[in-house]
Amino acid sequence: MPLTLAVEFIEPGVRLITLQRPQALNALTTQLLGELADELNAAQSDHNTHAVVITGSAKAFAAGADINEMAERNLVGILDDPRQASWQTLTRFSKPLIAAVNGFALGGGCELAMHADIIIAGEDARFGQPEINLGIMPGAGGTQRLLRAVGKSMAMQMVLTGEPISARQAQRSGLVSEVTQPEFTVERALHIAHSIATKAPLAVRLAKEALLKAMDTDLASGLRLERHAFTLLAGTRDRDEGIRAFQEKRRPAFTGE
Ligand code: HXC
């Protein structure tokens, strides 16, 4: 039983993970990151899970790595930090991951949101990388993913000043795809997750892989990967089923084959 998060199965095919350390605005401890990694591994190997939504509370998605825990770690502790393995699990997760963000998404919390494929934010959400105020810098993608998401000028401003941006600014910059009223953020994210969960799983998986590849490769290599994935899908039963269902004017029944 995880202690720092709650997991709900929402039919069909969606898991909702809610971070639950309200006393510390969902600050990310080693335990929380480990429990999150365990849940993602479980979701990864469950054939009936097609998408995952991750969220926090109304006040905070997550206010960063737990600073009190950080205070206890010396350099050696940081280098062989078990949290690194948890972040790797997040990076490797190959099913669709949607973050529903209300309140603070700061430091490691912003980096956690950026591990998601889609971010839906409540109007009151604040995204920031305040590590510079602690004499450190982002360490879980907050320079690399942030720059790719919002561009150089905004990323420099956020990381070098530590000042957060609003949900609307995050949307204008491309970090967030939709802004909702805070009470509907999770509902909207679940709606998107359900929509994805009805698609052909192999197509979703390869499309995600190809889109992520676009962030770190040249155009020619990306196009090669895209063509390869497209060709692979041409041999699937779900492709036949999708086309037949269109012609027969019915909903496709995908099986993941
Ligand atoms: C531990 C935290 C915390 C954190 C908040 N709390 N953030 N505890 N680690 N990151 C705790 C507070 O100490 C407080 O506990 C309680 O949560 C409520 O927070 P308040 O500060 O009272 O709330 P508020 O005044 O509304 O201010 C909210 C806040 C502020 C602006 C988010 O808490 C804040 O600045 N937090 C730190 C944000 C930060 O610097 N994050 C980056 C961390 S470094 P008590 O017991 O006093 O009630 C990082 C590196 C990632 O993330 C590296 C990845 C490899």
Side-chain angles (χ1 to χ4, degrees), residues 5-106:
L5 40 88
V7 185
E8 292 163 72
F9 297 84
I10 298 173
E11 290 300 327
V14 176
R15 284 188 197 216
L16 172 63
I17 300 177
T18 305
L19 307 186
Q20 282 183 339
R21 286 194 73 226
Q23 72 279 17
L25 302 184
N26 290 331
L28 308 170
T29 55
T30 304
Q31 180 184 10
L32 185 151
L33 286 168
E35 291 182 354
L36 179 58
D38 289 346
E39 291 305 329
L40 290 178
N41 281 328
Q44 182 79 54
S45 52
D46 174 15
H47 295 302
N48 294 318
T49 297
H50 299 299
V52 174
V53 173
I54 180 167
T55 194
S57 68
K59 183 160 185 205
F61 177 73
D66 190 291
I67 298 173
N68 299 322
E69 196 183 65
M70 282 167 67
E72 291 162 11
R73 284 178 184 267
N74 58 21
L75 186 59
V76 176
I78 288 168
L79 290 177
D80 61 7
D81 192 334
R83 287 175 295 187
Q84 291 304 331
S86 301
W87 287 110
Q88 287 303 319
T89 300
L90 272 155
T91 304
R92 282 196 306 267
F93 188 63
S94 68
K95 293 182 179 179
L97 181 62
I98 301 170
V101 176
N102 285 321
F104 298 109
L106 303 178

Side-chain angles (χ1 to χ4, degrees), residues 15 36 62 92 147 190 243 257:
R15 284 188 197 216
L36 179 58
R92 282 196 306 267
L147 187 136
L190 284 173
I243 291 176
E257 295 161 285

Side-chain angles (χ1 to χ4, degrees), residues 12-13 37 62 173 194 223:
S173 310
H194 280 132
L223 288 172

Side-chain angles (χ1 to χ4, degrees), residues 99-144:
V101 176
N102 285 321
F104 298 109
L106 303 178
C110 186
E111 291 170 313
L112 175 59
M114 287 191 291
H115 276 75
D117 304 307
I118 299 169
I119 304 178
I120 305 298
E123 276 163 355
D124 63 346
R126 292 282 176 280
F127 295 86
Q129 298 291 159
E131 289 90 339
I132 203 87
N133 297 325
L134 301 172
I136 55 172
M137 61 172 278
T143 61
Q144 302 305 299

